[in-house]
Amino acid sequence: MPRIKSPAELEAFRKAILAKRDDKKPCITLCSGSACHATGSEKVADAILAELESHGLKDQVDIRRTGCHGFCEQGPIVVVYPEGISYLKVKPEDVCEIVSHTFKEKKLVERLLYVDPNTGDKSSHEHDIPFYKNQQRLILGLNTKIDPKSLEDYLAVGGYQAMAKALLQMTPEEVIGEVKGAKLRGRGGAGFPSGTKWEFARNAPGDQKYVVVNCDEGDPGAYMDRSLMEGNPFTVLEGLLIGAYAIGASEGYIYVRQEYPLAVDNLTVAIKKAEEHGFLGKNILGSGFDFTVKVHRGAGAFICGEETSLLQSLEGKPGEPKPRPPFPAVRGLWGKPTNINNVETWANIPVIINKGADYFSSIGTESSKGTKIFSLVGKVNNTGLVEVPMGMPLRDIIFKIGGGVPNGKKFKAVQTGGPSGGCIPEEYLDVKVDFDELMKMGAMMGSGGMIVMDEDTCLVDIARYFLEFLSDESCGKCVPCREGIRQMLKVMTAITQGKGKEGDIELLENMAMATQGAALCALGKTAPNPVLSTLKYFRHEYEAHIKEKRCPALSCKELIAFHIDPAKCKGCGSCLRKCPATAIEGGKKTIHVIDQEKCTKCGTCIEACPAAFHAISKLSGVPVPEPPPQSARAIA
Amino acid sequence: MSEIVLQIDGKEVKAQEGMTIVEAANTVGIHIPTLCHHEKLEPYGACRICTVEAESNGRKTLVAGCLYPVENGMVVQTSTEKLYAIRKVLVEQMMAHAPDAPQLIELAKEYGADKDRFDKDPSFCILCGLCVRYCAEVKKKNAIGYMDRGPRREISFIPEVAAKECWDCKECFPLCPTSALQAAYVLTEALLPAQPEEEGGCSCSASGCCGG
């Protein structure tokens, strides 16, 4: 493929691609992101190929393997074009029916359609499914339309138009002005205005400058950056290139976690194709602008998401944070001015340049513009990636899009912002999600993790879990982080084990204050958030653990006991057979009894007890009733 | 180097651009406590005991005095109630490792710290890194380094380097703020021949591996 040397050639190339495409030609797309890969999209793909071949349809139907569609709960997802019919949870054995019904007879395969669990209504198209209907997929939307390994696909949907516009019609200052006007805030966590950050790097003295993509996503349960990088690496590259032009950088680095092999693969292909077509390298589109990109694979340390640590890691040193100032914008990679943004921030840039600052800033709230991708996980019906305009109330995200809490359980809290975020209780569900509102709640936007918790979750234990994660992931350089988290974790562990003492809450608050105030980097400064936010909204649970040795959510193993209600036990033996610790004693037509000494509190017995009997329950904070004497245990 | 003017604890201070808050404070006799700071070494910012409150451009933040460069018009507080409270906790947390270290006992007196507030951890190291940095920056030998991360972080001599370089140096020993013997101990451990596996050692030669 010859290099494309001007915007006119780019346009001609795009037209040639579009001319070869027929909108009416049947096309079958299959979601092939990491999540769907795990649920078997590979086998489905093989089945589709084989099936089309056996029907002699191979040349009449296109197949496109796309990135993540977001509705990971229901994957693998197959969408049949031109109609746009959406089939969910597709298995290889379903493919035969899809091909024979949908392609040959133009009929729907009813059983693969989305069924609303509340109304029973079926939806045949993605845009009718409530999960998608309430989203605004400005960034993620392209994932469903392109094969991440196909530059042609990206060009067909308008790719590299923003690059052409920025390089040839705008000055670097105008590009920065547009990003500032759009009021884009960094999607990596702190929400610093991106345009201002770019301006710092542009104005910093020095000929050699760098731009960096931060694709080191370490929050448990979050995979926004991964899906974008896997599903649409071209758009991240395009955003990066525009930023490099604006800042005056000629080299870029993409720092990707080692755990994201598919992202690295797709990115490597995208870079190669961009190089071949002249979208990277010397004199891009004849503009005189040169830019090259390298991929760096990080070993997967949470702290390397912090920008100064990431730069250290890029330089081949241990990933430990450095004090700021000097900021990377002034002295970054190898001492040169450097601008780092995360994947989602870069992906927003082509949208801003194409559609303009006014369009972008018309979406969202006063202080937070545009859309935000959230990773909605935990105790929620529709888990997956959700992109909504800033300012959507938490309630709408969790209940309208997420479909609420499964199994009729009660919503308890939502944790936003990753391990160093905070837990928000039900009474504040109407808070509008933006950078500042979440901060006011004692939580934060972070990179967009959202973990929903139901009534069975112990918030003290959740805070302990996040502290444990942060303790492991702390680099250990500074005392308030290393020692502070370690000591807080000790106290929290003792509380969840029923060994909490009077004064522990005050001690936690005292340590949290010191760590928050004195830690070197954002990991340490925000590490007390899980404790502080749960103390703020769920203090009574801490008190119950400490004073009454009771876990209100019946979750902390050391504080609960399992008990068989003698009046309800039918002596069926289900629990006895399943108990892995042989802690249950009983016999035919005999009331069963749990030996508390042997019981490991795994909960298998509760699951095994037939719902009709419902004889086993968890107890906390009360003594386990004495079992009936042997003589009274026979069931009549 | 241009001269700038700032205020520390209400005193007007003339300082040179590029100075840190600790350096500027020293010029007017205001003492900010430090543990991991050494004038021969690059600022590091690990112990955070020098945390002060700095206000510039209307923003008040807590910063490490040994690292933070002075700015014109900056207003610094070095001994507020909040700073005392923070230093007290930090000293207590460090004393969980080194309850008898003279410098920590001094600081404990000043900030009312209780050496027994936290569970003791049998390591006398507070990971100030003076030994590591001195060996790297001044001696340029890199005979000692950090191992692991987070609460498992520790210092360790590299046996191959230490066996050659450490015999007639030992300049890191007296730098240690918690126990002059800490470095000696870790060094001795590194120089011992690797124990055979059946005696509890492991077959690899690296110090710190398997805790050996």
Side-chain angles (χ1 to χ4, degrees), chain A residues 66-114:
Chain A
T66 70
C68 179
H69 289 218
F71 204 2
C72 305
E73 174 86 30
Q74 302 282 339
I77 299 168
V78 163
V79 185
V80 179
Y81 293 99
E83 297 86 357
I85 301 159
S86 184
Y87 293 131
L88 307 171
K89 289 194 176 170
V90 178
K91 295 192 181 65
E93 51 269 31
D94 299 326
V95 171
C96 163
E97 219 172 320
I98 294 177
V99 172
S100 61
H101 272 60
T102 311
F103 284 111
K104 296 196 126 176
E105 300 165 33
K106 300 286 169 207
K107 281 196 291 194
L108 294 172
V109 185
E110 295 277 339
R111 65 183 176 82
L112 295 174
L113 298 177
Y114 177 78

Side-chain angles (χ1 to χ4, degrees), chain A residues 301 320 323-325 471-480 482-484 486-487 490 507 510-511 513-514 517-520, chain B residues 44-48 51 62 67-69 82 85-86 89-90 93-94 96-97 117-119 121 126-127 149-153:
Chain A
E320 286 172 14
R324 300 177 298 179
S471 179
D472 273 348
E473 295 292 339
S474 160
C475 77
K477 178 174 176 175
C478 76
V479 172
R482 183 185 67 240
E483 303 299 328
R486 180 211 321 246
Q487 296 290 359
K490 275 190 185 180
L507 179 62
N510 197 227
M511 282 194 277
M513 178 274 304
L520 168 59
Chain B
Y44 187 61
C47 73
R48 318 303 285 181
T51 298
L62 294 172
L67 296 165
Y68 207 87
K82 169 139 191 161
I86 288 176
V89 176
L90 296 184
Q93 285 172 348
M94 287 187 273
H97 294 278
R117 189 161 182 208
F118 296 111
D119 284 348
D121 188 287
I126 56 164
L127 293 160
R149 69 175 184 206
R152 295 176 308 279
R153 187 178 172 100

Side-chain angles (χ1 to χ4, degrees), chain B residues 130-184:
Chain B
L130 283 172
C131 51
V132 175
R133 289 180 290 137
Y134 188 85
C135 191
E137 293 173 29
V138 177
K139 303 297 287 186
K140 305 210 185 302
K141 299 293 185 200
N142 293 300
I144 182 166
Y146 301 108
M147 307 277 298
D148 218 330
R149 69 175 184 206
R152 295 176 308 279
R153 187 178 172 100
E154 54 184 55
I155 53 163
S156 175
F157 281 86
I158 319 298
E160 293 81 355
V161 186
K164 273 193 288 192
E165 306 290 349
C166 298
W167 298 108
D168 50 3
C169 172
K170 303 187 186 84
E171 284 168 35
C172 61
F173 289 11
L175 293 176
C176 183
T178 54
S179 158
L181 297 175
Q182 170 73 13

Side-chain angles (χ1 to χ4, degrees), chain A residues 413-597:
Chain A
V414 58
Q415 210 271 356
T416 71
S420 39
C423 296
I424 299 172
E426 191 177 15
E427 61 213 273
Y428 296 105
L429 272 185
D430 291 310
V431 68
K432 290 182 164 32
V433 178
D434 75 4
F435 285 103
D436 303 320
E437 291 299 314
L438 286 181
M439 200 68 100
K440 274 187 220 155
M441 300 298 303
M444 62 181 208
M445 180 76 83
S447 54
M450 209 171 258
I451 304 173
V452 181
M453 292 173 262
D454 70 6
E455 56 188 301
D456 294 339
T457 319
C458 172
L459 269 295
V460 184
D461 192 46
I462 282 290
R464 187 206 55 79
Y465 164 77
F466 283 117
L467 270 191
E468 189 177 22
F469 175 86
L470 291 165
S471 179
D472 273 348
E473 295 292 339
S474 160
C475 77
K477 178 174 176 175
C478 76
V479 172
C481 182
R482 183 185 67 240
E483 303 299 328
I485 302 177
R486 180 211 321 246
Q487 296 290 359
M488 276 191 276
L489 177 59
K490 275 190 185 180
V491 176
M492 291 294 286
T493 307
I495 293 175
T496 54
Q497 289 173 342
K499 297 172 195 151
K501 302 187 292 287
E502 202 65 46
D504 275 356
I505 293 179
E506 292 71 22
L507 179 62
L508 283 169
E509 285 171 332
N510 197 227
M511 282 194 277
M513 178 274 304
T515 299
Q516 230 174 11
L520 168 59
C521 80
L523 189 155
K525 282 187 199 297
T526 58
N529 283 355
V531 177
L532 292 175
S533 76
T534 47
L535 268 176
K536 185 169 169 187
Y537 301 118
F538 299 94
R539 200 181 183 95
H540 53 280
E541 294 203 7
Y542 280 80
E543 284 163 354
H545 280 77
I546 296 170
K547 292 180 188 155
E548 301 162 41
K549 309 295 173 205
R550 179 173 69 88
C551 175
L554 300 170
S555 155
C556 292
K557 274 195 179 177
E558 281 83 350
L559 295 179
I560 57 166
F562 288 79
H563 171 62
I564 300 174
D565 185 343
K568 289 181 181 170
C569 180
K570 300 283 183 248
C572 71
S574 297
C575 58
L576 183 146
R577 282 191 295 274
K578 289 271 172 65
C579 176
T582 60
I584 298 175
E585 185 208 319
K588 225 171 202 181
K589 290 279 164 197
T590 308
I591 291 170
H592 288 33
V593 170
I594 298 176
D595 181 342
Q596 298 296 334
E597 293 293 313

Side-chain angles (χ1 to χ4, degrees), chain A residues 260-288:
Chain A
Y260 289 4
L262 185 59
V264 173
D265 278 357
N266 289 359
L267 184 59
T268 312
V269 172
I271 290 175
K272 193 162 169 278
K273 293 201 169 166
E275 281 169 350
E276 284 167 5
H277 288 78
F279 301 152
L280 284 172
K282 296 253 178 244
N283 194 18
I284 296 164
L285 290 188
S287 65

